Amino acid sequence: SAVISQKPSRDICQRGTSLTIQCQVDSQVTMMFWYRQQPGQSLTLIATANQGSEATYESGFVIDKFPISRPNLTFSTLTVSNMSPEDSSIYLCSVVLGSYGYTFGSGTRLTVV
Amino acid sequence: GDSVTQMEGPVTLSEEAFLTINCTYTATGYPSLFWYVQYPGEGLQLLLKATKADDKGSNKGFEATYRKETTSFHLEKGSVQVSDSAVYFCALLTGNQFYFGTGTSLTVIP
């Protein structure tokens, strides 16, 4: 299965600032996914990122708040913009391996103060 | 729509106890089913999977059988260890859409 490197692993940020999270995969993949896991809750899909096209956002998530880049088949970034304490979560990137499921990065634990 | 319903926690067991975490699903079509585990401070790791009815996924002493007739994928382990303390997520994959349960926190005490 693919190996995913995600960074930073954690950060504490001031409200109103932005944080960009990077996700590097060791093999080329068509689709990359970004999830949010709020404290004590399950994962929620933010968006799906395909190389060469705009990301597709799920209901409740917008590009202005969570811009995503996908410049090639092994890399993606998610930016959390104009942060507020409600954005404190774990953010995870993931890649799909056909019908065998997803491989997840180790996550970025974000705290907004 | 498609969804996963997972037993709520937290669950606390003594070492060597038997573990069952219930998971049922609702899906159109024929999803693949998964259990993921999240150890403290880490990301999700695939624990086991089953891609069709009656398949049994197994790993690290954990097992789950894909039961189409009861739309279930319950996770079991015969003898838990302290190192099994984690949050367990049931999930289904249909097309490229993943649906996660809410997670069940397991604590195993010596």
Side-chain angles (χ1 to χ4, degrees):
Chain A
S1 62
V3 173
I4 303 178
S5 301
Q6 190 174 333
K7 58 181 181 181
S9 58
R10 59 180 63 234
D11 207 342
I12 301 173
C13 301
Q14 297 291 322
R15 68 176 66 203
T17 62
S18 298
L19 175 72
T20 295
I21 302 167
Q22 299 181 4
C23 184
Q24 177 76 50
V25 188
D26 69 354
S27 58
Q28 294 184 340
V29 292
T30 303
M31 303 174 76
M32 294 180 75
F33 303 84
W34 288 98
Y35 286 84
R36 180 176 72 182
Q37 185 181 18
Q38 293 177 299
Q41 299 189 26
S42 188
L43 280 72
T44 302
L45 180 64
I46 298 172
T48 302
N50 291 330
Q51 192 268 335
S53 63
E54 279 197 10
T56 303
Y57 289 83
E58 298 299 309
S59 175
F61 298 96
V62 295
I63 188 171
D64 290 346
K65 176 66 175 177
F66 297 101
I68 287 172
S69 77
R70 183 80 202 276
N72 57 54
L73 291 172
T74 62
F75 187 78
S76 179
T77 66
L78 169 77
T79 298
V80 186
S81 304
N82 188 25
M83 289 184 284
S84 66
E86 291 72 33
D87 294 320
S88 297
S89 295
I90 298 174
Y91 293 86
L92 299 114
C93 66
S94 175
V95 299
V96 68
L97 300 172
S99 62
Y100 295 98
Y102 287 32
T103 297
F104 288 86
S106 55
T108 296
R109 187 178 296 271
L110 170 63
T111 302
V112 183
V113 297
Chain B
D2 296 350
S3 66
V4 173
T5 302
Q6 187 174 341
M7 184 175 91
E8 291 191 18
V11 174
T12 302
L13 295 174
S14 297
E15 206 165 21
E16 299 184 1
F18 185 85
L19 168 71
T20 300
I21 301 177
N22 289 338
C23 172
T24 57
Y25 68 90
T26 301
T28 55
Y30 304 95
S32 297
L33 300 173
F34 305 83
W35 278 99
Y36 282 87
V37 58
Q38 185 176 35
Y39 297 103
E42 299 184 17
L44 269 71
Q45 301 175 26
L46 177 63
L47 181 60
L48 53 85
K49 63 182 184 291
T51 57
K52 62 182 187 298
D54 299 327
D55 270 3
K56 177 186 283 187
S58 61
N59 185 27
K60 300 181 181 180
F62 291 89
E63 292 183 342
T65 301
Y66 189 152
R67 301 284 188 199
K68 194 168 186 297
E69 64 276 13
T70 54
T71 61
S72 65
F73 194 56
H74 304 322
L75 182 68
E76 297 182 336
K77 186 173 185 181
S79 177
V80 294
Q81 305 301 312
V82 172
S83 57
D84 294 326
S85 298
V87 180
Y88 294 82
F89 291 91
C90 185
L92 73 83
L93 176 66
T94 176
N96 281 319
Q97 183 69 50
F98 230 98
Y99 298 88
F100 286 89
T102 53
T104 301
S105 175
L106 169 67
T107 301
V108 180
I109 55 178

